[in-house]
Amino acid sequence: PATPPPPPPALDERREIDHRLANSLQLAADFLAFEQARLEDPRARAALQQTAARMLAVGQLHRFLSAHRDAPNVNLEPFLTELCTRIVGGTGLSCSVDAEPVIVPGETAQQLGIAINELAMNAAKHAYRQGEPGGLHVDCHRDGESLRLSVYDHGEGLGDGFNAEGATGLGLTIVKAVTRQLRGSLEAHDDHGARFTITIPLTAAIRPEPPRSFAPPS
């Protein structure tokens, strides 16, 4: 059989960046584990051990998302279930999923995964008091000709006057960029906690999209 052509240079470069980033996170986690073994203070050792575990989980999550990006088709039901398992390790939140087996290109699945991870990290930082156990829930369903993805917690909520479009934090900036790339819309409101819903047309979810851009809209 004919030898397949090599991937474009841009794709090779992107894979190399992904590989180096994941390896750097692994190395940083190893350094933290080494340092915690040298400490005598049990609280300091526990803090470094927890940080190293979280960093390792983030690296594994990055590998997971990168591995799916170039897949021709991804079933969102098992993809989101596995994603939430990895989010648990990276954030300490419990995570549950209710998803339909919708098939999308790997690039679309990866972008949705990036958005969910950013919302999970925001929930871990802001939804619950320090030391308080918290949960995250992910729903993904068809709604006519659209796909609706909701990520919500049962924490302290968004507060009066919150406006997702005006939010300037890095996490929500990335979520908004992903939503624009998928030609969708983002809603945010209080529902016994914070609920974020991304709605994209199924036409965007069934064909590959151009490379992501996190630049603000022109």
Side-chain angles (χ1 to χ4, degrees):
T3 303
L11 182 56
D12 277 343
E13 181 179 350
R14 190 168 64 176
R15 285 174 175 166
E16 179 64 20
I17 291 172
D18 286 339
H19 180 69
R20 290 187 179 186
L21 177 57
N23 283 349
S24 295
L25 289 169
Q26 172 74 60
L27 184 61
D30 290 343
F31 279 143
L32 288 176
F34 176 75
E35 287 299 323
Q36 68 91 19
R38 299 171 58 188
L39 295 175
E40 296 183 0
D41 185 333
R43 295 182 62 184
R45 291 185 64 178
L48 280 185
Q49 186 176 29
Q50 184 180 45
T51 302
R54 292 283 174 83
M55 190 171 292
L56 185 59
V58 170
Q60 292 172 343
L61 174 64
H62 182 80
R63 289 185 190 276
F64 172 75
L65 291 175
S66 297
H68 284 81
R69 178 176 53 207
D70 300 321
N73 294 300
V74 173
N75 184 331
L76 285 180
E77 184 178 30
F79 172 84
L80 294 177
T81 299
E82 177 66 17
L83 174 68
C84 280
T85 299
R86 295 175 185 271
I87 284 175
V88 169
T91 65
L93 298 173
S94 63
C95 189
S96 61
V97 177
D98 182 7
E100 292 183 6
V102 181
I103 306 299
V104 299
E107 177 73 13
T108 300
Q110 190 212 33
Q111 291 187 64
L112 293 175
I114 289 171
I116 293 169
N117 186 53
E118 293 299 330
L119 293 172
M121 289 192 293
N122 275 358
K125 291 178 183 177
H126 305 298
Y128 302 101
R129 295 183 179 91
Q130 187 173 9
E132 178 184 5
L136 190 77
H137 308 274
V138 178
D139 287 339
C140 184
H141 298 281
R142 295 176 184 270
D143 183 9
E145 297 301 314
S146 299
L147 182 73
R148 288 177 63 85
L149 173 74
S150 291
V151 180
Y152 57 97
D153 58 63
H154 295 301
E156 298 185 0
L158 299 171
D160 296 334
F162 179 85
N163 178 9
E165 283 303 314
T168 58
L170 178 61
L172 279 180
T173 298
I174 292 174
V175 172
K176 289 186 288 185
V178 167
T179 303
R180 287 196 306 271
Q181 189 66 43
L182 294 174
R183 302 195 301 278
S185 62
L186 173 67
E187 303 172 50
H189 62 274
D190 282 325
D191 182 13
H192 304 290
R195 176 186 287 266
F196 294 87
T197 300
I198 297 172
T199 304
I200 64 173
L202 283 175
T203 52
I206 60 175
R207 66 172 184 268
E209 294 298 315
R212 291 191 316 279
S213 171
F214 292 156
S218 56

